[in-house]
Structures are given as structure tokens and as C-alpha cells.
Amino acid sequence: MSMMRFDPGLLARDAEGLFWMARYLERVENLARLIDVTQSFESPGFETDAWFGLIRINADEKNFAARGFSPDAAHVKRFYLLDRGNPTSIPSSLEDARTNARTLRPLMSTEMWRQINVFHRFAGRITPEDMEGDALSRLCTRLKEGVQAHTGITQGTLYRDQGWYFYELGRFIERADQTTRMLDIKYTALLPRDGEEKRVAELTQWNAVLRAAAGYHAFKRYARAAFSAEDVVHFLLRDPSSPRSALLCVRRIESHLDDLRRLYGLSAGEAIERAEILRALLLEKPLGHILATGLHDYLDIVQIHLQQLAAAIGRAFFRDWRPQADEPAQLQEQTQVTA
Amino acid sequence: MSEIAPGGLDDPQVVLLSPGIYNSAYFEHVFLAREMGVPLVVGADLVVEDDRVYMRTISGLKPVHTIYRRLNDDFLDPKVFRPDSMLGVPGLIGAWKAGNVAIANAVGTGVADDKAVYAYMPRIIKYYLSEEPLIHNVETHICREAEGLKYTLDNLDKLVTKPVGESGGYGITIGPRASKEELELARDSIRANPENWISQPMIGLSVAPTLAEEGIGPRHLDLRPFIVTGKESWVLPGGLTRVAMKRGSLIVNSSQGGGSKDTWVLADNCNNGSAA
């Protein structure tokens, strides 16, 4: 007989809180990675192009202008690293993660809560000096490590009941989305017009993308010596073992949805279907074809599918979980709906 | 909490109802929910259907039988009390009246929080139990009684005056520390509405070393013991130590920025087999 009393169930609100806490933190890590790689794309005289590319891949153009910024390297850094009024900035994401964590305190370990607080304070004390030159890369490293410490503590201390699956679902949806954005940064990067110079510049940029995704060494072990753009895109979109590849994330999502059904009788037919469609989208077309017809547009479609998958999970568990619910509440796709 | 659940249930579902993360006592709600092993819910998590209370979980509606509420009466049910309450649960009072859910503390118990009731406690004990109180009250003067009113007005500069219906340390005038204007203001308020006031001597609250902005310094504190009454009554081997974070302040209430400290109960191992 089990020593546990009974299954206390999981409040829909708490499931949603776990999902979003994970998303916000994953967003912080990936934004730090993107900022780091953007700095390495800077070429003298063209800094603005490199940094404004970051605004474009995050689809933040309107938000950026509305906050009173203009396309300028220093402004973009401030927008993402200092501006608490920008909901997509790192301090804002950490604020949102911590607000969710507060509502989840009864469910999480003291160690998780303490680390989130320390990290939140660190991000609140970023200064303009931290964004200059070499200091910026060190700052990005600290931010990545902050999220990695969180992830590790969570892996080691969060109780593995239903709540854990929602945390993981949020994390993998966000990670898949962010990986597609990381690939997209190449789309906005400038290249010399042609010839050998262009080939070398392109290789350097792909290397930077791989490093941003922490995949450079693994890629080198498996790829051909003279690799092509197609190989890099394959590694980040379709490699079944690369921890940040979109395919690995989608497979984890499918397996978590399946576990929720198998272990807890929680079915989310629509979400499972959407995950299957997304997996097919990632695998069906030859990459050569995708690269020829436009990687950027393809990545856009993948992002839209991820948003629809997140919405389906929301409909199944957080908002309209009641079969008789008459008024389907709209689940906003990119940011959390707060009650 | 399980004892008071509607009858016939082996394993009633107990929840703690909190106003949420923006309440100054949220930390305490988390602590209590965790120690009690019950879900911490907010109003939006609960729903009433056919006079029964349910909580919204990922697998649908789950019945709730006992609510330990940390929400004031007037916010509990917008259908019955304040219609603008976003923190409450529409229909909750209906379910309670129908006997389908227990609410602790019961609706209306806030009256016992009234400081005028405190003043009458020694007389209440005597009247109902024919006993003397074991622990004495702080000397309290009731301004609705002529004698108490006269004493209060004659000694305003030595007394602490408190409005009876308030909590959280609001509306208090500490005579020995008040300016002339503040004392006159208090005098006018008491004269205008004596029933609303009591007065007590200033208690020399103890201090403890406390970590403050400028380093470690003395801060005033008080102790709240807790007594649980169900089929039997027992005193919890611990309590809540509240501390005023402002230097010299005697107001320890959390709603005015007060903090809390660990409370240690020292057990004598020779006389007491189990340590607290």
C-alpha cells in the first residue's frame, strides 16, 4: 500500500504558473545567448544593423519604437538588458518568472525559491557599464549561468508530479521557439557581396550561431569537415540528440503529453495532434528545398505552430479544461494572461 | 480543519483561501498551507455550483469541504458582501448556508477581534464560567463607560488610545510619544465618538537584536501564541514573534511593515519526553 495519502490534484492556475515560470526563464537564457552572438556579428561601421537584427527576429519593432528608442546599438542593449518597461527585456522576464514563483511557493523547494530571488536581484542591478565591450559577454555568461543554476536546482529538487510536466512543457516550447530565432539571426546578418570573402564570413557566422546554441563541439564531431549551411540548419532543427534542436524539444513535448495521459489520465488530444503536425513539419521537406525557398519564412511557420501548440495546452489544462465550458477564453500566445 | 467538514467524509478536502501574493501576510499563508499539507487557493480557483464548492484543477472540478480562509468577511462572496470583491467566490455563502462547506473561522467571528470585546473578556469569563481569568488582561479603559472615558481624557499623555474596530495598528495614538496636536486630535475623536475607543497604559515591549538597514540594532517585538479549539483545545508549542522594523516603533503589525522572527520554545528534557 502506498504511504501517500492521496493525489491532491493540481490547481489549473498552478499548472499555468509552472508552465510560464519555465518559459520566462528559458527566454532569459536564450536572449542572453542571442545578445552574445549579436555582439560577435558586429562589424565596424555596421553595429546598428547587427543589433537591430535582434529586434527583428524577436518581432519587437513596434514595442521598441513605442518605448522611445531608435535603431542604435546602445539603445537595443538598453531595451533588452535595462528597460523594465519593456515586457520582453531580461529584467521583465525575470520579474514575471519571480511573480509566478511566488504563487508557486507551496509547490517548490526552498532552494529553487532562494536562487530565483538572488538571480532576480542580480538582473535588477545591471548597469550601462556592464553592456560595454568585453563586459557584455561576461554579463551574458552570468545570465546564462543563472538560468542554468535554476534548471539544475529544479531538476534536482522539484517533486515529479503533474506539475513537473507542465514546467517541462513550458521550457521545451520556449526553447524550440528560441532556437528558431537563433537560426534566424543569420538571416539578418550582413555579408560581403561575393567571392571567397563571402564564403569565409558566412562560415564564421554559422560558427557563431552554433556557439550561441552551445552546439559547436558536438556539431564538429558529427558534421563533415567542409560543412555547409544545410548541415548547421539540420543540427539545430532536426538533430534528434542536440539538446536545443527544435525536433528534440518537440519530441520531449510529445513524450510529456503522453505521460500526462498515461500516468494521470489527463488527455489533451488537440495538443498531441498539434505536436505531431509540428514534428512532421520539421521533418517532411528536404532542407535544401527550405533553404532555397526561404529559411526565414519557414522558421516563421514553425514559430506559429509552436504558438498554436502552447494555446492548445492552455485550452486543455489552464483555462477551458471543463468540457461544458461555453465561452472559450482567448489564450494569448506569447505572453502570460494574468487573471 | 478536517473535524469541522460536513459530515460523513473520511478524507475531506481542506484548502487555505488567500487573497494572493500581494497580501502582506502571503508568506504566512504559504507557510501554513505547506505545514498543513493543503492547497493554497485564491478566489479564482474556487467555483460554486448547486451550492457546492469546487476547485479548478487540471483534471476538472474537485469538491472542497473545508475552507480555512485568510480573507475578511466583506470580501468572501461578492453576491452577499462587497459586490466589487475580486478576491472572493460568488455563491460561497450560499454553499455555506446549505451546509455543504465549512468555513473557518466562521463568518462573523471578526467581531471577536474587536478591541471592545477584549476589554470585556474578564467579565465574560466570570459571567459564563464563574471563574477568574488565568492570564490577566492589559489594564483597559473602556471609553463607552463614563469612568473609563474620564480616566482616558485626564491621562491622554500617559495612555495608548486605540479605535475598537480597527486592526493592523491603524488609528493608534501613543500618548507619551505624541505631540500636543496629536493628543488634541485624539481627544476630539474620542469625545466625538467615545464608544469607538479604548485606552491602555503603554507597554514596555521588549527588544531583540534585529538585522536592519544600518546593521544589527534593537527592535521592539511581541509574541502571539496560538490556541486551536476543535473537540479539544490545545496551545501550539510555538508562536508568532512580530517585530517592528522601524527603530523605536512599537507598531509590530505586518501591514505596517513589521516583520517576523523565529520563536523558540525551550523544552526541559527531564520533565518532558518530547521536545517541541
Side-chain angles (χ1 to χ4, degrees):
Chain A
M1 210 175 108
S2 162
M3 60 164 256
M4 303 307 273
R5 284 178 307 173
F6 60 102
D7 171 17
L10 177 66
L11 289 173
R13 180 175 55 86
D14 287 341
E16 190 173 13
L18 284 159
F19 181 86
W20 279 101
M21 180 177 72
R23 280 197 81 158
Y24 286 126
L25 282 157
E26 186 67 28
R27 207 172 276 185
V28 169
E29 179 181 337
N30 283 280
L31 189 47
R33 290 179 180 282
L34 282 168
I35 291 170
D36 210 7
V37 73
T38 300
Q39 197 183 29
S40 62
F41 278 170
E42 262 185 343
S43 44
F46 296 97
E47 290 89 350
T48 299
D49 300 276
W51 285 99
F52 198 70
L54 200 52
I55 301 287
R56 284 166 56 191
I57 61 163
N58 283 310
D60 264 337
E61 292 95 333
K62 267 193 205 157
N63 182 18
F64 185 69
R67 296 290 305 155
F69 291 111
S70 50
D72 167 86
H75 280 208
V76 175
K77 290 184 217 170
R78 273 211 330 251
F79 179 69
Y80 284 127
L81 290 164
L82 289 180
D83 186 13
R84 288 151 183 281
N86 164 25
T88 62
S89 74
I90 283 179
S92 291
S93 290
L94 269 172
E95 186 67 41
D96 290 336
R98 182 171 176 273
T99 302
N100 278 295
R102 278 193 88 181
T103 71
L104 297 165
R105 285 221 28 215
L107 303 183
M108 67 168 64
S109 66
T110 307
E111 291 162 44
M112 278 177 77
W113 173 239
R114 188 186 304 141
Q115 193 269 340
I116 286 177
N117 277 293
V118 171
F119 189 31
H120 172 257
R121 280 182 71 99
F122 168 76
R125 285 190 302 233
I126 297 173
T127 65
E129 292 76 57
D130 295 329
M131 310 186 320
E132 298 302 326
D134 291 349
L136 180 62
S137 194
R138 282 197 297 275
L139 172 65
C140 291
T141 302
R142 295 272 316 256
L143 289 167
K144 276 187 281 184
E145 285 175 354
V147 181
Q148 287 165 340
H150 159 79
T151 314
I153 293 169
T154 305
Q155 288 270 350
T157 66
L158 184 64
Y159 192 72
R160 304 288 170 101
D161 57 9
Q162 299 104 301
W164 160 261
Y165 292 94
F166 289 97
Y167 173 89
E168 289 281 283
L169 286 170
R171 197 149 70 88
F172 281 114
I173 283 181
E174 188 66 31
R175 183 176 289 181
D177 180 89
Q178 294 290 339
T179 296
T180 63
R181 291 175 200 275
M182 219 169 273
L183 269 171
D184 216 13
I185 203 161
K186 181 65 186 62
Y187 169 77
T188 61
L190 282 187
L191 281 175
R193 213 159 288 158
D194 44 33
E196 181 62 10
E197 218 180 322
K198 179 183 174 190
R199 205 186 63 84
V200 171
E202 199 154 33
L203 278 182
T204 312
Q205 287 178 354
W206 282 122
N207 278 335
V209 170
L210 283 167
R211 285 182 198 277
Y216 183 72
H217 290 166
F219 176 80
K220 283 285 173 187
R221 272 197 290 148
Y222 288 97
R224 297 166 293 157
F227 69 87
S228 66
E230 207 177 306
D231 295 329
V232 180
V233 175
H234 173 89
F235 186 78
L236 290 178
L237 280 185
R238 294 184 171 177
D239 189 282
S241 310
S242 167
R244 313 197 82 78
S245 89
L247 181 68
L248 181 133
C249 294
V250 172
R251 283 193 169 157
R252 298 300 298 156
I253 291 164
E254 287 189 275
S255 125
H256 287 321
L257 287 171
D258 191 48
D259 281 352
L260 280 171
R261 185 182 53 77
R262 236 169 9 91
L263 303 175
Y264 297 98
L266 296 164
S267 56
E270 188 203 351
I272 288 174
E273 237 167 73
R274 290 219 166 265
E276 273 170 20
I277 294 169
L278 180 52
R279 178 160 44 86
L281 174 72
L282 286 173
L283 289 173
E284 70 193 354
K285 279 189 196 144
L287 279 180
H289 176 76
I290 290 168
L291 283 169
T293 51
L295 178 61
H296 175 74
D297 293 337
Y298 174 75
L299 294 173
D300 257 2
I301 296 171
V302 174
Q303 285 163 16
I304 289 167
H305 273 77
L306 281 163
Q307 287 165 16
Q308 288 170 342
L309 172 57
I313 291 172
R315 275 192 295 276
F317 299 112
F318 309 150
R319 304 255 157 198
D320 310 313
W321 41 263
R322 287 160 66 193
Q324 71 269 38
D326 35 21
E327 199 91 18
Q330 207 65 45
L331 186 88
Q332 214 177 310
E333 275 144 5
Q334 279 301 285
T335 50
Q336 186 175 15
V337 182
T338 42
Chain B
M1 288 296 153
S2 300
E3 263 175 31
I4 61 166
L9 288 162
D10 288 342
D11 207 354
Q13 177 71 56
V14 180
V15 299
L16 188 155
L17 175 62
S18 163
I21 60 170
Y22 299 109
N23 187 274
S24 62
Y26 178 70
F27 161 76
E28 195 181 318
H29 305 162
V30 170
F31 179 80
L32 288 169
R34 194 165 52 209
E35 295 305 310
M36 292 162 73
V38 305
L40 175 72
V41 303
V42 298
D45 292 323
L46 300 181
V47 59
V48 177
E49 274 179 12
D50 300 326
D51 282 341
R52 290 182 185 276
V53 183
Y54 301 89
M55 59 180 177
R56 302 173 196 271
T57 77
I58 49 169
S59 46
L61 293 180
K62 253 189 118 201
V64 169
H65 308 104
T66 300
I67 298 173
Y68 172 41
R69 51 94 176 214
R70 298 297 302 261
L71 202 58
N72 286 343
D73 283 358
D74 44 347
F75 288 101
L76 271 181
D77 182 349
K79 281 187 173 169
V80 179
F81 303 115
R82 287 179 60 151
D84 62 335
S85 171
M86 303 290 286
L87 304 173
V89 186
L92 180 60
I93 296 300
W96 177 62
K97 277 190 189 157
N100 292 329
V101 67
I103 299 177
N105 292 325
V107 179
T109 40
V111 72
D113 224 11
D114 193 292
K115 291 186 174 64
V117 172
Y118 171 81
Y120 286 106
M121 272 320 285
R123 298 186 220 176
I124 291 172
I125 291 169
K126 215 167 191 165
Y127 181 85
Y128 285 102
L129 302 174
S130 305
E131 285 175 29
E132 289 296 326
L134 295 173
I135 300 172
H136 291 287
N137 261 16
V138 173
E139 177 191 329
T140 303
H141 309 280
I142 302 166
C143 295
R144 78 177 304 139
E145 297 176 351
E147 201 185 326
L149 177 63
K150 182 172 184 312
Y151 183 86
T152 302
L153 292 176
D154 288 349
N155 296 283
L156 262 190
D157 57 339
K158 300 183 194 72
L159 295 170
V160 180
T161 54
K162 301 177 174 179
V164 296
E166 294 282 349
S167 62
Y170 292 101
I172 286 179
T173 302
I174 299 172
R177 300 200 176 166
S179 66
K180 268 201 173 133
E181 291 75 34
E182 286 167 333
L183 285 179
E184 286 319 302
L185 221 65
R187 187 182 301 281
D188 291 347
S189 312
I190 295 170
R191 279 217 178 104
N193 191 6
E195 303 83 69
N196 197 36
W197 294 88
I198 58 153
S199 71
Q200 293 169 334
M202 189 169 90
I203 301 294
L205 289 183
S206 186
V207 292
T210 301
L211 188 60
E213 289 286 322
E214 75 275 10
I216 292 175
R219 291 292 183 274
H220 289 291
L221 40 78
D222 77 355
L223 171 71
R224 264 191 183 190
F226 292 95
I227 298 154
V228 178
T229 297
K231 282 180 186 141
E232 287 167 12
S233 293
W234 59 287
V235 180
L236 266 70
L240 172 65
T241 300
R242 302 186 300 172
V243 54
M245 297 308 287
K246 256 186 266 165
R247 176 180 276 276
S249 170
L250 294 170
I251 305 287
V252 296
N253 306 72
S254 67
S255 52
Q256 295 206 38
S260 63
K261 277 181 169 293
D262 288 348
T263 305
W264 292 16
V265 178
L266 303 179
D268 184 348
N269 283 329
C270 304
N271 301 333
N272 190 347
S274 65

